[in-house]
C-alpha cells in the first residue's frame, strides 16, 4: 500500500497525469472516496495526459463516458457507478468486453462488488491541511509499473 499527500486539485490532476504514462488496455483503475474528494480531478488529469483537449465532463449522468483515438492515445471508458443500485445492472454497460482494447476508470467501484479484483484501487480522503490523502492498493499486475 502506498500513501501520497496531494496538496490541492492541481496536485491531484498531476498525479493522474503521471498515472497515464503507465496505463495500458485492459487496466482497471478504481477511484474511491466521498463526494468532492477529487476522483474526477484525477481522471481529468489522466485523460489530459493521454491527449484529451478540453475538460473531461463528469460521467455522473451518462454513467459511461468513452474516449477513443485520435482524441486520446488509447481507448478509455470513464465510468461513474454512483447511480447503480444493483451490481447486475453493470452487465448491461459492456465494461468487461471493453477491457479487450480499453482501460477503465471506475468511480464508485464499491457499487460493483468484487467485479475487478485486479484493479488498481486509489482511495482519496481529506487531509487535515485541506488537501487530500491518496492511498493506493497496488495489485500484482501494477507492481512493475509502481511507484508513480
Amino acid at each position: 500500500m502506498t500513501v501520497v499527500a496531494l496538496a490541492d486539485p492541481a496536485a491531484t490532476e498531476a498525479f493522474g497525469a503521471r498515472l497515464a504514462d503507465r496505463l495500458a488496455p485492459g487496466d482497471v483503475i478504481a477511484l474511491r472516496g466521498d463526494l468532492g474528494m477529487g476522483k474526477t480531478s484525477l481522471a481529468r488529469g489522466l485523460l489530459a495526459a493521454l491527449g484529451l483537449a478540453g475538460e473531461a465532463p463528469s460521467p455522473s449522468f451518462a454513467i459511461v463516458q468513452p474516449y477513443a483515438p485520435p482524441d486520446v492515445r488509447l481507448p478509455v471508458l470513464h465510468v461513474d457507478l454512483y447511480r447503480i443500485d444493483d451490481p447486475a445492472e453493470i452487465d448491461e454497460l459492456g465494461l468487461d468486453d471493453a477491457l479487450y482494447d480499453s482501460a477503465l476508470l471506475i468511480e464508485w467501484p464499491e457499487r460493483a462488488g468484487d467485479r475487478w479484483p485486479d484493479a488498481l484501487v486509489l482511495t482519496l480522503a481529506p487531509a487535515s491541511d485541506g488537501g487530500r490523502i491518496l492511498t493506493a492498493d497496488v495489485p500484482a499486475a501494477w507492481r512493475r509499473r509502481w511507484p508513480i
Side-chain angles (χ1 to χ4, degrees), residues 71-111:
D71 295 329
V72 289
R73 73 171 169 79
L74 68 100
V76 175
L77 298 180
H78 185 187
V79 182
D80 187 326
L81 299 178
Y82 186 76
R83 296 185 309 141
I84 298 293
D85 293 322
D86 181 350
E89 295 175 58
I90 297 168
D91 291 336
E92 299 172 22
L93 301 176
L95 301 177
D96 293 330
D97 290 338
L99 284 173
Y100 290 108
D101 66 356
S102 303
L104 301 180
L105 294 176
I106 310 285
E107 295 189 35
W108 302 99
E110 56 274 16
R111 306 265 177 157

Side-chain angles (χ1 to χ4, degrees), residues 17-34:
R18 290 191 307 275
L19 191 57
D21 289 338
R22 292 168 170 80
L23 192 66
D27 285 340
V28 178
I29 300 174
L31 302 173
R32 300 179 70 129
D34 290 337

